[in-house]
């Protein structure tokens, strides 16, 4: 209870409670997430159930436009699928890919940034040169390159089965640099402070220093 009360009275929560735009944004975000997670129960139609499609319902306008029908709130597409239901089901894949790819890029970038900043020397130079080279190309180009390599390397059936994982990998590998550079800069500052030197003196291994001492102090940025 004390932790909850302290969190409720924190500056971040106080600022959030005072901002109608932030509260409204959270409400819209929550509605989108809940609609995606519970799409099988909330969606008016199942866009993947072909036997429920009717070509006579194709290309209907939204319900509030003349010619629209109330059972298709946002209208239908060219094959008669309900647009609202398709958005709700499609958002599940979009949220999965978005969250997973950002998490992968975050973990990879933080790990490489920690190693580069703490170890230094040739390791730091190599990781940062790779980052510099990657920054010279648009992220979408790198993602397309990784996806193209996967299509060539994997059989068609196998690629179709792991398409989501390939997409997460492609997006994650094209966006780790920003995290690595930020963490490296903070690590270069923190590794020369007294608490890190004390950890070295008492014999803590470099991996333990990075995980237990440096990581919590560079997570702020």
């Amino acid at each position: 209870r004390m932790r909850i009360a302290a969190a409720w009275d924190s500056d971040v929560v106080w600022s959030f409670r005072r901002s109608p735009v932030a509260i409204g944004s959270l409400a819209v975000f929550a509605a989108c997430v809940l609609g995606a997670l519970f799409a099988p129960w909330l969606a008016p139609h199942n866009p993947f159930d072909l036997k429920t499609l009717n070509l006579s319902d194709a290309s209907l306008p939204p319900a509030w436009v003349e010619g629209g029908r109330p059972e298709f709130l946002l209208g239908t597409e060219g094959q008669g699928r309900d647009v609202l239901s398709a958005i709700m089901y499609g958002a599940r894949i979009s949220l999965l890919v978005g969250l997973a790819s950002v998490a992968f890029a975050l973990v990879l970038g933080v790990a490489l940034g920690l190693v580069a900043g703490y170890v230094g020397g040739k390791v730091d130079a190599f990781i940062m040169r790779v980052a510099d080279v990657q920054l010279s190309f648009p992220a979408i180009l790198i993602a397309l390159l990784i996806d193209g390599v996967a299509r060539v390397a994997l059989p068609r059936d196998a690629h179709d089965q792991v398409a989501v994982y390939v997409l997460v990998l492609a997006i994650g590998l094209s966006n780790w640099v920003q995290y690595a550079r930020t963490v490296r800069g903070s690590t270069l500052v923190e590794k020369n402070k007294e608490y890190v030197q004390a950890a070295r003196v008492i014999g803590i291994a470099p991996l333990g220093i990075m995980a237990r001492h440096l990581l919590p102090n560079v997570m702020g940025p």
Side-chain angles (χ1 to χ4, degrees), residues 113 116 123-133 176 180-181 184:
V123 175
D124 179 27
F126 175 76
I127 294 176
M128 288 300 101
R129 294 303 75 73
V130 172
D132 291 339
V133 170
W176 65 270
R181 292 170 68 92
R184 173 185 175 270

Side-chain angles (χ1 to χ4, degrees), residues 98 101-114 127-128 130-132 134-135 139 142 171-186 218 221:
S101 60
V102 169
F104 174 63
L106 176 67
V107 171
L108 179 63
V110 169
L112 292 177
L114 271 176
I127 294 176
M128 288 300 101
V130 172
D132 291 339
Q134 183 165 327
L135 284 175
I142 297 174
I171 297 175
L173 288 177
S174 62
N175 289 286
W176 65 270
V177 175
Q178 55 186 334
Y179 302 107
R181 292 170 68 92
T182 301
V183 171
R184 173 185 175 270
S186 299
V218 301

Side-chain angles (χ1 to χ4, degrees), residues 25 59 162 164:
S25 300
S59 302
V162 298
V164 172

Side-chain angles (χ1 to χ4, degrees), residues 20-181:
V21 174
I23 296 174
S25 300
L26 178 62
V28 173
F29 174 73
C32 292
V33 172
L34 291 176
L37 293 178
F38 298 101
W41 299 277
L42 297 179
H45 306 275
N46 184 354
F48 299 109
D49 189 0
L50 298 181
K51 68 177 181 293
T52 63
L53 301 182
N54 190 341
L55 289 179
S56 63
D57 296 330
S59 302
L60 292 176
W64 59 86
V65 178
E66 183 179 357
R69 290 161 52 181
E71 62 266 31
F72 302 113
L73 184 63
L74 297 182
T76 60
E77 43 94 87
Q79 294 183 328
R81 290 187 177 90
D82 178 45
V83 172
L84 176 60
S85 301
I87 290 175
M88 294 174 70
Y89 273 87
R92 307 176 84 187
I93 299 176
S94 298
L95 287 173
L96 172 63
V97 171
L99 293 174
S101 60
V102 169
F104 174 63
L106 176 67
V107 171
L108 179 63
V110 169
L112 292 177
L114 271 176
V115 172
Y118 184 78
V119 176
K122 294 182 179 180
V123 175
D124 179 27
F126 175 76
I127 294 176
M128 288 300 101
R129 294 303 75 73
V130 172
D132 291 339
V133 170
Q134 183 165 327
L135 284 175
S136 65
F137 296 95
I140 185 65
L141 182 60
I142 297 174
L144 290 174
L145 175 63
I146 296 172
D147 182 65
V149 171
R151 289 180 182 275
V152 173
L154 298 174
R156 167 168 289 193
D157 294 339
H159 183 275
D160 292 342
Q161 294 174 359
V162 298
V164 172
Y165 302 102
V166 172
L167 191 57
V168 169
L169 182 68
I171 297 175
L173 288 177
S174 62
N175 289 286
W176 65 270
V177 175
Q178 55 186 334
Y179 302 107
R181 292 170 68 92

